[in-house]
Amino acid sequence: MELSERKRKILAAVVDLYIVTGEPVGSKALCDNLDFTVSSATVRNEMSELAEMGLLEQPHTSAGRIPSQKGYRVYIDTLMKKRPVTSEEQRYIDSLLLPSAYDPEKLLDGVARALAGMTKYAAVSTTPGGSGADIRAIQFVQTSRRTAMAIIMTSTGAMKSRVFHCDFDLTPDILRVFFRVLNEKLAGLPVATVTPAYIQSLAASLGEMTMLMSDALMAVLDVAQDLMQTEVCLDGEMNLLYHRDLGQSEIRRIMDFLSRPQELSRLLMQQSNGLKVLIGEESNRPELSESSVIVSRYNVAGREAGAIAIIGPTRMNYGKIMSNMEYLSGSVGRMLTELLDTE
Amino acid sequence: MELSERKRKILAAVVDLYIVTGEPVGSKALCDNLDFTVSSATVRNEMSELAEMGLLEQPHTSAGRIPSQKGYRVYIDTLMKKRPVTSEEQRYIDSLLLPSAYDPEKLLDGVARALAGMTKYAAVSTTPGGSGADIRAIQFVQTSRRTAMAIIMTSTGAMKSRVFHCDFDLTPDILRVFFRVLNEKLAGLPVATVTPAYIQSLAASLGEMTMLMSDALMAVLDVAQDLMQTEVCLDGEMNLLYHRDLGQSEIRRIMDFLSRPQELSRLLMQQSNGLKVLIGEESNRPELSESSVIVSRYNVAGREAGAIAIIGPTRMNYGKIMSNMEYLSGSVGRMLTELLDTE
DNA sequence: ATTTAGCACTCAACAGACAAGAGTGCTAAA
DNA sequence: TTTAGCACTCTTGTCTGTTGAGTGCTAAAT
């Protein structure tokens, strides 16, 4: 059976209506929301065929219809009308991000917060990660008599620091040694080079300085490994509590998943470029089988970098949210790219 | 009516039993949990008097008794036996904290996480805050052509940084100027001195350098204000979902409160030294009227500094949790004090 | 060949009735 | 003062009947 124009309109109307009311939509109610007039009986016939095709389903015999996951899929792919972002919203989004535009990690943190605030769902963002980055410089700053901070800056604008402690008093001279030795050895190398093994061999090659530098080396290793990881920022988990289509146990399952950053970031990073919607089972995650994920990868300097995403009930206002996310991920990419250019 | 020894024992037994079962406890069940033998009828009489005194209450006529908030208060103040922390637990707690013992903020973050993990409730911790701290030094590190990082170290071992952007290319010389000028003017002063007004007047006094330094000044102001604030670390909010005595709406109210860091930190910081339990209404917060807060202030170098706390349902295992928290807040205070000493 | 009106049918949701069970309060005896 | 016994109360679960929304089907209308 193929999808006639009228069926398409009816499916779209069912989804639209269901999204706003949250109630199964019946034939009568639907009639009032169509841009052509037919009787409820006709609509009933069409709906029953849509159900046969697997696009609608019935909670029980005498209830209205709700979209199936497959129905949402068709809706999103071909029926939905994207609601363009108003310039006011654009200004609002940009104003949220701008204050932290000079630090990738803070920026992505702000993105998650903004996204959660705008959508009222749980929001996630991942930082670009360090896989393609080179070490540009390593700085040392004394922070107390026996502690100092190691800071690594990368070619992609990322930057991390770690305070470390030595068992002897630090002096500017010692810090200068740290600086000279480590920049000599590491500057220009990909961050990924700095593995425990590499640091070990580096330490071995330092001769009598090994002892002096071991704390600093460990700190640098630590920071480098931190830089390699794509950081996962999470916000608005609480928002999930306020959606009546998510039950207690459903919420718990989602929260469980959200508390495992590695899996979360893997799910996001394996999506291809652009905007993707994973409806229920499509994510292949049992914990998310009743909820939807909207992911948008963002590009930095033309290369696929991190991702932003929201997680919520399957019933959500896709049109509005998707266009907002599209704009947001564009903004993020642009800001991070600019950050790179000015380096 | 005064509290006979037998009444005290019965009240204690009711609370103990209720804490483990979560069910209203009846006279029969209670008989088996007393260290003396009386009939259920006697127990019934005693319980009915305890109810009259406002220490127990009945969900409905034909149910067992549960402790009232006043009952919990008496239990905690005079009946409860604290369960000492085993040395194994001590080692476990210390092992969780040690890795981040060199950075107050990370440490308190770790404390919140540890506390949430141990108790299965929502945990909060606050950093000491900068009210008593002096600026020890301000460092500048170039992070890209036009961006640099300003780092303030304080006399209390706290440290914060902020990346800022200039509209001109930075050079080591310029950074040296930043360093010299700002340390000359600000080092040794209380962090609290650095207000917008103060920075403004400082800027005015710099003459032709004002333009050059304005971005750096703003960054320093920002960092100083950040340092003044006691940071609030939150963890384990999700844990609340798993307690059956907290209803959906109850959880929401708590989460609402938890999402307002200023009020949260105010509540904690207004508690006096040591370990305090706020049962339901005692916190004077409508949002917390059905839940309990256990707060423990910790001392750094003998002075009251921050606080750690957990928030959960009124029915919790006070004995165990309170002793754990007592030990934990002692550890935190000790670590932060040591951090101070080595400076 | 569609579309529509009409009608019987189904099922969730709600409310009332009833039995079972837990626990109490009271009374009278020990 | 304590205890045994008993009537009483109130929740919980189950069962029943009713209501109403919405369907599917059929036969008439377009």
Side-chain angles (χ1 to χ4, degrees), chain B residues 158-179:
Chain B
M159 167 180 31
K160 287 236 165 153
S161 62
R162 175 81 72 260
V163 176
F164 63 96
H165 177 269
C166 295
D167 289 327
F168 49 85
D169 290 4
L170 290 163
T171 65
D173 280 337
I174 296 178
L175 290 180
R176 256 192 294 277
V177 172
F178 288 177
F179 177 86

Side-chain angles (χ1 to χ4, degrees), chain A residues 107-175:
Chain A
L107 179 63
L108 271 303
D109 221 48
V111 168
R113 190 184 333 282
L115 205 46
M118 286 178 355
T119 63
K120 302 297 178 201
Y121 299 117
V124 196
S125 65
T126 64
T127 57
S131 39
D134 298 333
I135 292 177
R136 212 178 44 221
I138 303 175
Q139 294 275 7
F140 290 91
V141 178
Q142 182 155 9
T143 58
S144 78
R145 196 151 57 86
R146 295 187 159 192
T147 63
M149 181 157 125
I151 311 167
I152 301 187
M153 270 91 54
T154 73
S155 57
T156 60
M159 167 181 31
K160 287 235 165 154
S161 62
R162 174 82 72 263
V163 175
F164 64 96
H165 176 269
C166 295
D167 290 327
F168 48 86
D169 289 5
L170 290 164
T171 65
D173 279 337
I174 295 178
L175 289 179

Side-chain angles (χ1 to χ4, degrees), chain A residues 39-324:
Chain A
S39 76
S40 67
T42 309
V43 172
R44 264 200 304 278
N45 287 329
E46 295 282 52
M47 290 211 295
S48 121
E49 285 177 23
L50 284 167
E52 222 170 286
M53 297 164 70
L55 300 176
L56 293 179
E57 49 195 31
Q58 266 179 308
H60 54 86
T61 326
S62 73
R65 299 302 210 299
I66 62 176
S68 66
Q69 297 189 351
K70 200 170 145 198
Y72 276 116
R73 171 61 37 214
V74 172
Y75 174 81
I76 290 169
D77 289 344
T78 72
L79 303 175
M80 181 184 71
K81 43 193 175 310
K82 278 199 189 169
R83 215 216 37 179
V85 190
T86 68
S87 62
E88 193 182 350
E89 285 174 317
Q90 295 191 0
R91 262 199 311 283
Y92 174 69
I93 292 175
D94 288 342
S95 78
L96 283 179
L97 302 189
L98 223 58
S100 43
Y102 293 121
D103 180 337
E105 200 161 329
K106 281 216 180 61
L107 179 63
L108 271 303
D109 221 48
V111 168
R113 190 184 333 282
L115 205 46
M118 286 178 355
T119 63
K120 302 297 178 201
Y121 299 117
V124 196
S125 65
T126 64
T127 57
S131 39
D134 298 333
I135 292 177
R136 212 178 44 221
I138 303 175
Q139 294 275 7
F140 290 91
V141 178
Q142 182 155 9
T143 58
S144 78
R145 196 151 57 86
R146 295 187 159 192
T147 63
M149 181 157 125
I151 311 167
I152 301 187
M153 270 91 54
T154 73
S155 57
T156 60
M159 167 181 31
K160 287 235 165 154
S161 62
R162 174 82 72 263
V163 175
F164 64 96
H165 176 269
C166 295
D167 290 327
F168 48 86
D169 289 5
L170 290 164
T171 65
D173 279 337
I174 295 178
L175 289 179
R176 256 193 292 279
V177 172
F178 287 177
F179 177 85
R180 192 173 44 75
V181 172
L182 284 168
N183 280 283
E184 211 163 81
K185 300 282 188 186
L186 299 177
L189 295 181
V191 180
T193 323
V194 184
T195 58
Y198 188 86
I199 287 290
Q200 194 124 37
S201 74
L202 180 57
S205 75
L206 290 177
E208 57 196 7
M209 276 207 294
T210 308
M211 284 299 289
L212 186 73
M213 295 201 50
S214 72
D215 293 311
L217 281 172
M218 290 318 292
V220 166
L221 171 62
D222 229 38
V223 181
Q225 299 212 307
D226 228 36
L227 274 169
M228 278 306 292
Q229 286 187 329
T230 69
E231 205 83 16
V232 175
C233 313
L234 200 58
D235 202 8
E237 305 98 301
M238 305 301 155
N239 287 342
L240 297 179
L241 291 174
Y242 296 85
H243 293 281
R244 67 176 140 78
D245 9 14
L246 292 176
Q248 188 87 309
S249 72
E250 194 49 36
I251 293 180
R252 282 209 281 257
R253 288 198 293 158
I254 300 177
M255 298 277 192
D256 271 5
F257 182 69
L258 292 181
S259 63
R260 276 174 278 134
Q262 339 77 318
E263 296 192 39
L264 186 51
S265 94
R266 193 147 52 87
L267 177 67
L268 303 192
M269 299 307 249
Q270 80 193 14
Q271 304 308 316
S272 58
N273 219 333
L275 202 57
K276 275 271 160 58
V277 182
L278 305 175
I279 303 161
E281 319 260 80
E282 293 178 357
S283 61
N284 278 322
R285 292 284 164 174
E287 303 95 325
L288 302 179
S289 62
E290 300 295 320
S291 35
S292 280
V293 183
I294 308 182
V295 193
S296 178
R297 299 294 304 256
Y298 61 82
N299 294 326
V300 176
R303 292 234 320 268
E304 217 165 56
I308 66 177
I310 62 107
I311 297 175
T314 310
R315 173 173 85 86
M316 49 178 152
N317 190 337
Y318 292 96
K320 180 174 165 197
I321 295 175
M322 288 173 71
S323 38
N324 273 339

Side-chain angles (χ1 to χ4, degrees), chain B residues 169-244:
Chain B
D169 290 4
L170 290 163
T171 65
D173 280 337
I174 296 178
L175 290 180
R176 256 192 294 277
V177 172
F178 288 177
F179 177 86
R180 191 175 43 75
V181 172
L182 285 168
N183 279 284
E184 210 164 82
K185 301 282 188 186
L186 299 177
L189 296 182
V191 180
T193 323
V194 184
T195 58
Y198 188 86
I199 287 289
Q200 194 123 36
S201 73
L202 180 57
S205 76
L206 291 177
E208 58 195 8
M209 277 208 293
T210 307
M211 283 300 287
L212 186 72
M213 296 202 48
S214 72
D215 292 310
L217 282 171
M218 290 319 292
V220 166
L221 171 62
D222 229 38
V223 180
Q225 299 212 306
D226 228 36
L227 274 169
M228 279 306 292
Q229 287 186 330
T230 70
E231 204 82 16
V232 175
C233 312
L234 201 58
D235 202 6
E237 306 97 301
M238 305 300 153
N239 287 342
L240 297 179
L241 290 174
Y242 295 86
H243 294 281
R244 65 177 140 77

Side-chain angles (χ1 to χ4, degrees), chain A residues 22-37:
Chain A
E23 301 290 325
V25 348
S27 52
K28 200 100 126 274
L30 197 55
C31 283
D32 307 338
N33 284 69
L34 290 173
D35 55 0
F36 52 92
T37 33

